[in-house]
Amino acid sequence: MDRFSKFTILVNRIVRNIHRIKSDETSKLGLKGPHVSCLYYLYRAEKPLTARELCDVCDEDKAAISRAVDYLGKEGYVSCDGSAQKRYKSPISLTPKGEEAGVFLAERVDCILAEASAGLTDEKRGVFYECLDLISANLQNICDGTVEKNGG
């Protein structure tokens, strides 16, 4: 298998499996992927976050986060302090129901990460993430046109 095939097949397989796991886990709560990301990051932050901050940590666009926060608010997982002039800048907090979901999600994420990285030492994991980060940055630079696209 050549480098391109191996890289794209493995990355696609990882992404597919992550989506499948997310879907399986979120269905237990009756939620979808973006909802989970919002709840997870709000729980891990241990403080209210604005929609703008959620966009950054979830790596989602403004519209997706807005829809997720609206849904989570209607379902009683989050509350939004509307005192800011723009809703996008208003702090979003977990309700007790959201906190409970956050605990569940954080525990499942920790367990899944432990299972997914079984057999890796901390050193190998560190090198893996360093390489993945570099590849991601290089691909972003290519997409942004900041790197010459040569066969290197």
Side-chain angles (χ1 to χ4, degrees), residues 19 22 26 31-41 54 58 60-61 63-69 71-72 105:
H19 284 290
K22 263 183 155 182
T26 56
L31 300 172
K32 295 184 178 172
H35 307 144
V36 170
S37 294
C38 288
L39 290 171
Y40 176 80
Y41 288 113
L54 277 173
C58 295
E60 291 279 353
D61 64 33
I65 293 298
S66 180
R67 285 189 302 272
V69 169
Y71 178 84
L72 292 170
L105 292 170

Side-chain angles (χ1 to χ4, degrees), residues 6-57:
K6 188 169 189 165
F7 179 78
T8 56
I9 287 170
L10 289 174
V11 168
N12 284 332
R13 189 178 297 157
I14 289 168
V15 169
R16 252 192 334 272
N17 286 326
I18 288 170
H19 284 290
R20 184 173 167 198
I21 291 166
K22 263 183 155 182
S23 178
D24 291 349
E25 293 299 321
T26 56
S27 67
K28 295 173 185 173
L29 296 173
L31 300 172
K32 295 184 178 172
H35 307 144
V36 170
S37 294
C38 288
L39 290 171
Y40 176 80
Y41 288 113
L42 282 167
Y43 176 77
R44 285 293 191 204
E46 298 179 350
K47 68 179 181 91
L49 298 175
T50 64
R52 177 183 305 268
E53 291 168 326
L54 277 173
C55 286
D56 292 341
V57 296

Side-chain angles (χ1 to χ4, degrees), residues 50-106:
T50 64
R52 177 183 305 268
E53 291 168 326
L54 277 173
C55 286
D56 292 341
V57 296
C58 295
D59 196 29
E60 291 279 353
D61 64 33
K62 185 177 176 180
I65 293 298
S66 180
R67 285 189 302 272
V69 169
D70 282 346
Y71 178 84
L72 292 170
K74 288 175 186 164
E75 294 298 314
Y77 289 97
V78 300
S79 63
C80 185
D81 174 10
S83 64
Q85 284 185 327
K86 293 195 175 197
R87 184 166 176 238
Y88 194 58
K89 295 181 179 180
S90 298
I92 301 161
S93 302
L94 292 175
T95 63
K97 181 179 179 179
E99 186 79 20
E100 187 178 312
V103 168
F104 171 79
L105 292 170

Side-chain angles (χ1 to χ4, degrees), residues 96-120:
K97 181 179 179 179
E99 186 79 20
E100 187 178 312
V103 168
F104 171 79
L105 292 170
E107 288 172 355
R108 290 301 303 142
V109 165
D110 290 346
C111 181
I112 290 165
L113 286 175
E115 290 177 31
S117 61
L120 287 177

